[in-house]
Amino acid sequence: MLSTYSLKMIFPAALLMLSTGCASLNSQVIDIHPELQVSRKLDKEILIDVQAQDLRTNKVIGYRATDETPAPEIILKDSVALLKHSTEHALEDMGIRRFFKGEYTMKVNLINLNYQVEKHGLKQTVNLDMKINVDLTKGSKRYTGSYTNEKQHTFVGTPSEQENIKIINELVTENMNLVVNDKQLLDFIQFN
């Protein structure tokens, strides 16, 4: 059983750790795997060449809230592979099996992915936003779409690495679900 003296010493130390986000925070590389939900079937004979690009000028999503200098970075691991493979898996779930050049070209471009922290006493609010543009062509015909979403999360203290992975995965999943469930985009594929 802890003495009153021990409790008096532990409590301030625990508060200090919460307020500073623990002693030292590392930079974090986020490796996520969004599982997209599709609501439509497409012809399995369709040929789609999925091309992904990360058009951000700075690959850092944001910084973990700490008093350290420089602040620990948060970076998305292999954003191009993430966009390409997630899009192809969603199209496979719709029935498409052929990802080659020849019919449709689908360019999926990551425009923004941001993680910003606001501190309010012991609480931290993380603001996330993401934007993807899609350019889908078949010969001289074209469809373009822009997909954005925002999320906000509040934590007591600095979010852990696992919490960061969870909230960024949710944001990316929601944004990519907007892409693969865009009725006009799917109509373009189905009826051209």
Side-chain angles (χ1 to χ4, degrees):
M1 190 161 144
L2 293 173
S3 69
T4 305
Y5 176 76
S6 297
L7 287 174
K8 286 180 182 177
M9 297 304 293
I10 291 171
F11 185 69
L15 275 178
L16 181 63
M17 286 175 58
L18 275 176
S19 65
T20 60
C22 297
S24 179
L25 294 174
N26 296 322
S27 291
Q28 182 177 6
V29 177
I30 302 283
D31 185 13
I32 58 173
H33 305 280
E35 294 185 26
L36 307 183
Q37 303 296 317
V38 299
S39 58
R40 193 146 161 197
K41 289 293 181 187
L42 296 171
D43 183 350
K44 67 180 181 180
E45 299 304 316
I46 291 171
L47 286 172
I48 296 186
D49 178 24
V50 177
Q51 300 173 3
Q53 286 184 291
D54 186 342
L55 300 180
R56 297 173 300 152
T57 55
N58 184 354
K59 303 309 179 198
V60 175
I61 297 171
Y63 300 89
R64 301 185 77 189
T66 177
D67 295 330
E68 295 175 31
T69 303
E73 298 174 336
I74 301 173
I75 299 170
L76 182 63
K77 180 180 178 184
D78 207 350
S79 56
V80 172
L82 167 70
L83 292 171
K84 181 175 174 61
H85 296 149
S86 297
T87 303
E88 287 180 346
H89 287 311
L91 291 168
E92 283 177 344
D93 289 345
M94 292 182 218
I96 293 176
R97 296 287 179 259
R98 300 162 60 187
F99 298 101
F100 307 104
K101 293 183 180 182
E103 191 173 6
Y104 291 91
T105 300
M106 183 177 192
K107 294 180 180 176
V108 182
N109 300 317
L110 179 58
I111 306 300
N112 287 320
L113 180 57
N114 298 303
Y115 176 111
Q116 294 182 323
V117 178
E118 298 171 11
K119 285 182 160 184
H120 310 284
L122 293 180
K123 290 187 178 179
Q124 292 186 16
T125 300
V126 177
N127 296 298
L128 299 167
D129 66 87
M130 182 176 188
K131 180 177 182 181
I132 292 176
N133 286 349
V134 172
D135 186 29
L136 180 63
T137 56
K138 181 181 181 182
S140 61
K141 296 179 180 177
R142 166 173 270 127
Y143 176 80
T144 57
S146 186
Y147 312 88
T148 60
N149 67 325
E150 299 175 353
K151 302 281 280 183
Q152 188 176 77
H153 302 274
T154 301
F155 300 90
V156 176
T158 302
S160 69
E161 291 191 4
Q162 288 304 320
E163 288 169 325
N164 280 337
I165 290 169
K166 180 178 184 289
I167 63 175
I168 293 170
N169 191 59
E170 285 174 359
L171 177 84
V172 173
T173 299
E174 284 184 19
N175 198 272
M176 295 198 70
N177 269 324
L178 294 174
V179 174
V180 300
N181 289 291
D182 177 349
K183 182 181 183 306
Q184 291 176 292
L185 181 144
L186 297 177
D187 284 350
F188 183 91
I189 294 172
Q190 188 169 359
F191 301 118
N192 279 293

